Amino acid sequence: MEGPQMILPRTGIGLDVHAYASEDQPRPLWLGGLFWEGERGLAGHSDGDPVAHAAADALFSAAGIGDLGTHFGTDRPEFAGASGITLLKEAARIVRAAGFEIGNVAVQFVANRPKFGPRRLESQDVLSAAAEAAVSVTATTSDGLGFTGRGEGISAIATALVYPKQPDRIG
């Protein structure tokens, strides 16, 4: 006798950290899929967007199919300078191709600047469109502590919920 079929969700965590680009090699700031005019950019192999990167990493983690480095590592020259939105869109495609659907992604980044609140909805819309699933973003500071508090960079942590397109057989 076969047991019941259940669709069991899976959760994943993604973490991404980028230091600010050096003053002698300035870069634009891409954060949460948006360009931030007049803000100091982040160093990185791609555009350095820790929000989009953490979201992609959480998706890979939830599906159990590697991580950001596995799919878009520095050994992949075709991703040099790539947009975080492009990476998130590709991560969502890879996760779906592996047999999962995306429930949602939640990201929180830690930084002293930029002031995120006025552009939160814009960021969430761009990220959600890339993932073809709900992506929420929150921001906080570290009250002057650590590298983010000293203004040396930005970190982001994300959680993702995915579920298999086919039910798991139980029993």
Side-chain angles (χ1 to χ4, degrees):
M1 178 175 173
E2 291 187 19
Q5 293 183 339
M6 295 182 67
I7 294 180
L8 299 174
R10 296 175 59 153
T11 59
I13 299 172
L15 173 69
D16 198 62
V17 176
H18 286 275
Y20 284 107
S22 65
E23 297 286 348
D24 60 334
Q25 294 184 326
R27 293 184 64 173
L29 178 62
W30 286 93
L31 184 66
L34 305 177
F35 170 66
W36 295 81
E37 182 75 39
E39 293 284 347
R40 186 174 173 193
L42 298 164
H45 177 62
S46 62
D47 67 356
D49 183 341
V51 170
H53 298 173
D57 220 11
L59 288 172
F60 291 140
S61 172
I65 56 173
D67 54 33
L68 206 65
T70 302
H71 297 280
F72 310 125
T74 57
D75 61 335
R76 306 274 309 270
E78 67 270 28
F79 293 113
S83 159
I85 291 300
T86 298
L87 300 182
L88 180 56
K89 187 173 189 167
E90 180 64 5
R93 186 198 66 74
I94 291 168
V95 165
R96 288 187 176 99
F100 295 91
E101 190 47 68
I102 300 168
N104 74 300
V105 181
V107 186
Q108 183 169 65
F109 73 89
V110 183
N112 294 334
R113 63 184 206 330
K115 185 157 180 63
F116 187 69
R119 297 188 73 189
R120 178 186 323 278
L121 293 178
E122 181 185 2
S123 173
Q124 291 177 161
D125 287 347
V126 168
L127 294 164
S128 295
E132 296 181 29
V135 178
S136 60
V137 184
T138 58
T140 191
T141 68
S142 58
D143 290 330
L145 300 174
F147 78 94
T148 57
R150 291 188 301 270
E152 297 170 5
I154 297 176
S155 67
I157 189 164
T159 60
L161 179 86
V162 303
Y163 53 92
K165 292 180 183 177
Q166 298 296 317
D168 292 334
R169 195 162 295 283
I170 306 297

